[in-house]
Amino acid sequence: MAIKLDVRGLSVHYGTLRALDHVNLTIPTGSATALIGPTGAGKSSLLRALCRMNELWEGVTTLGQVLLDDENIYSRHIDVSHIRRRVSLIPRRPVPFPLSVFDNIAYGPRIHGVKGRTELANIIKKSLEKVGLWKELKDRLEQRAIDLSPGQKQRLCVARALAVEPEALLIDDLASGLDSAATARMEDVLLNLKGDYTIVFATHTMQQAGRVSDHVAYLSEGALIEHGDTADVFSRPKDHRTEDYITGRFS
Amino acid sequence: MIGRLCSGGRNERIAFSILGCVTVISLLPFVGIMLYLLSCGWRPLGERCVSPILIGIESHLLMSLLATVYVMVGSLLIAVLLGIGVGIYLSEYACNNLLGKRGATVLNNLANIPPVLYGLFGWAVLAKGNKGTSWSVILLTLAVWMLPNMASVTLRALNEIPPAFRRESQALGATRWQTSLYAVLRFAKGRIISDFFKASARLIGETAPLLVLIGVEPWGDLSGSTPLAYRVYVLLVGHMRRNQTIPYGAALLLLVVALCLQLIGLLIEPAQQEDIDYLGN
């Protein structure tokens, strides 16, 4: 199986605080990988490091390599904007711009040079269809995006990311602030996108990781404790810390 | 228990009533000044500004108003363009270095230096100590004085844009420049324009001490175009002892212009501001 992202000896520090400690992890192309672990385990830091978004935080130091299709994204000659276009991050609390639904999704394509209204309309239709929002919003494209429900906002932000045609999607805390119905719809979206995109998402819900992911990586205190097929890790964890976490003895 | 609650409620009502009275009392001087200027200034303003316009003859007050607009627009043009640049640089590019972190404080300090010191700078450096300075020296001095104010206004407006906007934009592959332009300046521009008008309303009245130093000669006789604030000053110094009413007209006109600028600033308050505040929380 082809590897989309290959993390090698990745360490991230915020000032003197160690967020990730020498993490090694491979993420296969077209798969969904769930990052699980308690709060402060380093899930968000790992996601941000996979697209160099961590550099936007003050005092961050990153050591090690992240290979995207065998190219180290931390090389000096790399165009960071290009990397972020290829590997798109949807943060824990997605923030739509105070614009219409149309302009929100058109933001990325316009930045990358798409100007024609018809071309933009096609991109928007395709992106909304992929996240299951087209039927709900096709007649409300000029509506303010911030008036949407939290679940719709999250899917809109995924659609906005898809509009720039990334190869990988990184989603920080899949169910953050969503009710069970909105979470289920979001899971459906990811199951549909899996295969076309490489997906890495952080979650606190074991059932969700079980339903959506092909692979699971358990992090604790900045270290990768265990990584493998979801079924294997959940049924036969190799490390007792993983077992404690997924069985709820420790959270 | 209920008695204590009632007592607490009564005490609260008394406390807020006192605070309400204090608020009204603190507004009284402003209302007093407005009414006094209105009562003393409306007649000279009508005689020396409105009537000449109606019958088509030259009005010194109108010329002063035009001169005010001229110097404000000229100097604001320079100050605004440079101020926006400084604000963007400090907010978006230098935010992690010492200059960026101390930028707001430095700008506030510069903006709070009394205008008379900028006038001294204009007279000593730009006019090389000569009286009878040119319009370009006056414009440049005013621009130098306004620059920290305008940069400060820009910086404040840009800092109101939630950091999440920047991150969302960069996560979509936008460069820092594109992010500054389309995800920051785009949403901050309404606030910047609105605040520029409000700042101009304040600055327009503070030009007099600066012009006293650098602009005495060209407008010394007050026959030509003299900015309003300076005209008020000269009229006060030269005419008040003779109990003339012209300064009241000039002062009233200055107040009306300043209030109009404030009103424009309030009217063009960005419609998106509530959304931005909501998203920022």
Side-chain angles (χ1 to χ4, degrees):
Chain A
M1 188 178 280
I3 300 298
K4 176 56 75 179
L5 287 157
D6 188 356
V7 181
R8 295 181 180 177
L10 187 71
S11 297
V12 174
H13 291 80
Y14 298 101
T16 55
L17 180 77
R18 187 186 62 192
L20 285 178
D21 185 23
H22 209 78
V23 169
N24 293 292
L25 176 69
T26 52
I27 294 165
T29 305
S31 68
T33 301
L35 303 180
I36 59 169
T39 304
K43 304 185 293 293
S44 300
S45 295
L46 178 55
L47 286 175
R48 290 199 289 257
L50 293 180
C51 57
R52 289 185 65 172
M53 284 295 284
N54 52 346
E55 290 169 14
L56 302 183
W57 272 257
E58 199 178 333
V60 73
T61 315
T62 309
L63 299 168
Q65 292 185 331
V66 174
L67 306 184
L68 173 62
D69 291 335
D70 296 326
E71 189 178 27
N72 183 13
I73 67 167
Y74 283 92
S75 294
R76 232 178 232 176
H77 67 275
I78 285 282
D79 176 2
V80 184
S81 306
H82 184 60
I83 293 298
R84 289 176 186 154
R85 185 184 177 177
R86 290 177 66 192
V87 183
S88 204
L89 174 73
I90 292 125
R92 180 172 300 156
R93 186 189 160 218
V95 178
F97 294 122
L99 299 168
S100 66
V101 169
F102 186 98
D103 286 332
N104 258 281
I105 304 173
Y107 181 87
R110 279 180 178 141
I111 288 284
H112 298 297
V114 180
K115 301 288 178 203
R117 183 87 185 173
T118 318
E119 199 179 346
L120 283 171
N122 285 335
I123 292 171
I124 285 153
K125 182 171 185 272
K126 254 192 254 175
S127 305
L128 286 174
E129 278 173 346
K130 282 179 186 170
V131 298
L133 269 179
W134 177 247
K135 280 184 186 166
E136 290 170 54
L137 296 181
K138 65 179 177 185
D139 299 320
R140 295 192 284 154
L141 293 177
E142 295 307 318
Q143 181 187 328
R144 292 182 337 152
I146 71 160
D147 291 337
L148 299 176
S149 69
Q152 285 177 323
K153 272 185 209 165
Q154 179 144 25
R155 282 187 287 155
L156 176 84
C157 289
V158 175
R160 188 171 64 183
L162 293 176
V164 298
E165 297 174 352
E167 296 159 37
L169 276 179
L170 313 173
I171 303 172
D172 195 355
D173 208 345
L174 192 58
S176 176
L178 301 183
D179 60 26
S180 53
T183 304
R185 274 196 288 272
M186 192 64 201
E187 287 178 12
D188 288 343
V189 167
L190 290 200
L191 288 169
N192 286 335
L193 294 175
K194 204 165 73 173
D196 293 335
Y197 301 89
T198 304
I199 295 168
V200 187
F201 65 96
T203 181
H204 286 280
T205 318
M206 296 308 101
Q207 291 87 343
Q208 189 172 65
R211 283 192 295 267
V212 180
S213 69
D214 306 305
H215 307 278
V216 161
Y218 172 60
L219 291 127
S220 179
E221 294 177 353
L224 179 66
I225 307 297
E226 191 166 345
H227 171 232
D229 286 348
T230 303
D232 289 345
V233 172
F234 278 5
S235 56
R236 292 179 297 278
K238 288 177 187 142
D239 193 292
H240 71 91
R241 288 170 293 181
T242 314
E243 188 175 2
D244 286 349
Y245 184 74
I246 56 181
T247 53
R249 274 187 288 231
F250 158 69
S251 59
Chain B
M1 180 70 182
I2 292 169
R4 278 180 67 193
L5 277 175
C6 288
S7 167
R10 194 171 60 235
N11 287 345
E12 194 175 281
R13 271 201 302 278
I14 293 168
F16 279 113
S17 302
I18 292 169
L19 290 178
C21 290
V22 170
T23 309
V24 171
I25 289 167
S26 61
L27 284 173
L28 280 179
F30 174 72
V31 176
I33 291 170
M34 287 279 290
L35 290 175
Y36 183 69
L37 275 182
L38 206 62
S39 66
C40 298
W42 71 271
R43 192 182 292 276
L45 186 63
E47 285 169 359
R48 293 181 179 266
C49 187
V50 181
S51 302
I53 295 170
L54 292 176
I55 56 174
I57 61 167
E58 189 180 316
S59 155
H60 282 175
L61 276 187
L62 188 65
M63 295 294 283
S64 276
L65 181 63
L66 290 176
T68 306
V69 172
Y70 174 75
V71 292
M72 286 302 290
V73 169
S75 47
L76 269 174
L77 213 60
I78 302 168
V80 165
L81 289 177
L82 293 175
I84 289 177
V86 172
I88 293 175
Y89 179 77
L90 290 177
S91 160
E92 306 304 311
Y93 283 84
C95 48
N96 287 336
N97 65 30
L98 193 67
L99 184 66
K101 284 174 185 165
R102 299 279 174 268
T105 315
V106 171
L107 285 176
N108 278 336
N109 289 341
L110 285 172
N112 287 328
I113 292 175
V116 69
L117 294 183
Y118 284 97
L120 187 67
F121 163 79
W123 173 74
V125 178
L126 298 176
K128 296 191 168 53
N130 297 321
K131 291 282 181 182
T133 49
S134 65
W135 281 92
S136 57
V137 169
I138 290 159
L139 286 184
L140 273 178
T141 311
L142 281 169
V144 170
W145 169 54
M146 287 174 181
L147 178 58
N149 276 290
M150 294 304 149
S152 194
V153 161
T154 307
L155 189 60
R156 226 176 12 247
L158 295 180
N159 285 342
E160 276 183 17
I161 300 298
F165 281 25
R166 294 166 177 86
R167 290 199 286 268
E168 294 277 353
S169 172
Q170 287 183 272
L172 295 168
T175 61
R176 285 174 79 183
W177 175 246
Q178 287 171 324
T179 297
S180 302
L181 218 57
Y182 302 116
V184 181
L185 206 54
R186 175 183 191 173
F187 300 120
K189 71 172 186 254
R191 167 65 76 196
I192 294 173
I193 295 168
S194 167
D195 285 356
F196 277 168
F197 274 100
K198 291 177 195 166
S200 305
R202 187 174 59 81
L203 297 179
I204 202 167
E206 293 181 14
T207 50
L210 189 143
L211 294 176
V212 169
L213 266 170
I214 59 166
V216 171
E217 202 64 27
W219 303 312
D221 57 358
L222 288 182
S223 59
S225 44
T226 312
L228 275 169
Y230 182 59
R231 173 174 279 271
V232 171
Y233 166 76
V234 175
L235 286 171
L236 279 171
V237 172
H239 294 256
M240 278 304 270
R241 289 193 198 101
R242 281 181 270 148
N243 199 25
Q244 293 213 8
T245 54
I246 315 163
Y248 294 113
L252 182 60
L253 188 59
L254 182 64
L255 190 68
V256 169
V257 172
L259 288 177
C260 284
L261 286 170
Q262 281 278 3
L263 189 66
I264 294 170
L266 287 173
L267 288 176
I268 58 174
E269 191 94 6
Q272 283 169 328
Q273 195 58 41
E274 273 181 32
D275 298 346
I276 291 168
D277 293 342
Y278 165 74
L279 290 166
N281 291 325

